[in-house]
Amino acid sequence: MKFKNIFKNTSNMAAENTEIDQKIDDATIENNANEEQVVTEELSVEEQLTRDLTQEKDKFLRLFAEFENYKRRTTKERIELFKTANQEVLLAMLPVLDDFDRAMIEISKSEDEVMTKGVELIHEKLKSTLVTKGLEVVDVKAGDAFDADFAEAITQIPAPSDKMKGKIVDVLEKGYKLGDKIIRFPKVVIGQ
């Protein structure tokens, strides 16, 4: 009988152990499910943070690129401004230079070589000073093909020969440019 009681107690204990094991297994499954949910939530939080970080990086890169474009644009505008800053002064000096050129032609007819040489030196100094400030003569001469982008036609005359039709016959006034920009177009006569 004693053996039977031991067996019964052992059976009961085994049943209790099975129930306890079942409860532990259920609790473990539930814990695992909760942990998976927490891990899933953590992953989604991690994924969300990664997504937010990516968006912020993209925003930063776009802002940085926009700022670089702004710097480049303002630098270019500043350089162009410096190139043409003295345009008004140079435009005001052009009639003086034209008068000087005409005076040089008349003075060279004079027999006073000392005066001619002195005026020539002053004329060259004026021209070289204007060249250092960026002034250049627009190279247009008689016989060149007429291009309205680089010269202004004052009048048309009958061409002296067939070769001169549509070409420049005479240059009445020199043209000048400041850097790449023409500030005064040469005035020309073209053959018809």
Side-chain angles (χ1 to χ4, degrees), residues 20 30 34 106 121 131 147 164 167 190:
I20 290 174
E30 192 175 308
N34 286 340
E106 294 303 316
L121 289 172
V131 166
D147 186 357
M164 294 299 284
K167 293 191 177 184
I190 58 174

Side-chain angles (χ1 to χ4, degrees), residues 26-38:
D26 288 344
T28 303
I29 291 172
E30 192 175 308
N31 270 346
N32 287 342
N34 286 340
E35 285 176 14
E36 285 176 12
Q37 187 178 9
V38 168

Side-chain angles (χ1 to χ4, degrees), residues 103-116:
M104 282 303 302
I105 292 170
E106 294 303 316
I107 289 176
S108 64
K109 295 177 186 175
S110 159
E111 293 181 17
D112 190 357
E113 289 184 28
V114 175
M115 182 178 71
T116 304

Side-chain angles (χ1 to χ4, degrees), residues 33 48 52 78 90 123 136 143 147 155 170 182 190:
Q48 182 64 34
D52 290 346
R78 190 176 319 137
L90 291 175
H123 182 244
E136 297 176 45
D147 186 357
T155 187
D170 191 18
I182 296 178
I190 58 174

Side-chain angles (χ1 to χ4, degrees), residues 4-133:
K4 214 178 191 183
N5 278 343
I6 293 176
F7 182 72
K8 224 183 198 183
N9 283 342
T10 308
S11 289
N12 284 342
M13 283 176 75
E16 283 178 14
N17 282 343
T18 305
E19 280 180 30
I20 290 174
D21 285 344
Q22 184 64 33
K23 286 181 182 178
I24 289 174
D25 287 343
D26 288 344
T28 303
I29 291 172
E30 192 175 308
N31 270 346
N32 287 342
N34 286 340
E35 285 176 14
E36 285 176 12
Q37 187 178 9
V38 168
V39 168
T40 305
E41 286 176 9
E42 284 179 10
L43 285 178
S44 65
V45 168
E46 186 176 307
E47 288 172 355
Q48 182 64 34
L49 289 174
T50 304
R51 204 174 295 129
D52 290 346
L53 179 63
T54 305
Q55 287 174 351
E56 290 301 318
K57 279 183 181 178
D58 185 53
K59 237 195 269 184
F60 171 75
L61 288 175
R62 288 178 190 274
L63 185 63
F64 184 74
E66 188 176 317
F67 180 69
E68 285 298 315
N69 288 338
Y70 167 77
K71 281 183 9 183
R72 210 172 303 131
R73 187 175 57 249
T74 55
T75 302
K76 183 180 176 186
E77 288 171 357
R78 190 176 319 137
I79 289 170
E80 288 176 9
L81 179 66
F82 286 137
K83 283 183 181 178
T84 60
N86 51 1
Q87 179 176 341
E88 289 181 34
V89 174
L90 291 175
L91 275 172
M93 292 296 295
L94 291 181
V96 175
L97 186 60
D98 291 337
D99 290 343
F100 223 126
D101 288 339
R102 286 189 285 273
M104 282 303 302
I105 292 170
E106 294 303 316
I107 289 176
S108 64
K109 295 177 186 175
S110 159
E111 293 181 17
D112 190 357
E113 289 184 28
V114 175
M115 182 178 71
T116 304
K117 189 69 174 168
V119 173
E120 230 175 70
L121 289 172
I122 295 169
H123 182 244
E124 287 302 315
K125 187 174 183 178
L126 174 64
K127 284 193 330 187
S128 66
T129 301
L130 294 175
V131 166
T132 59
K133 298 301 178 188

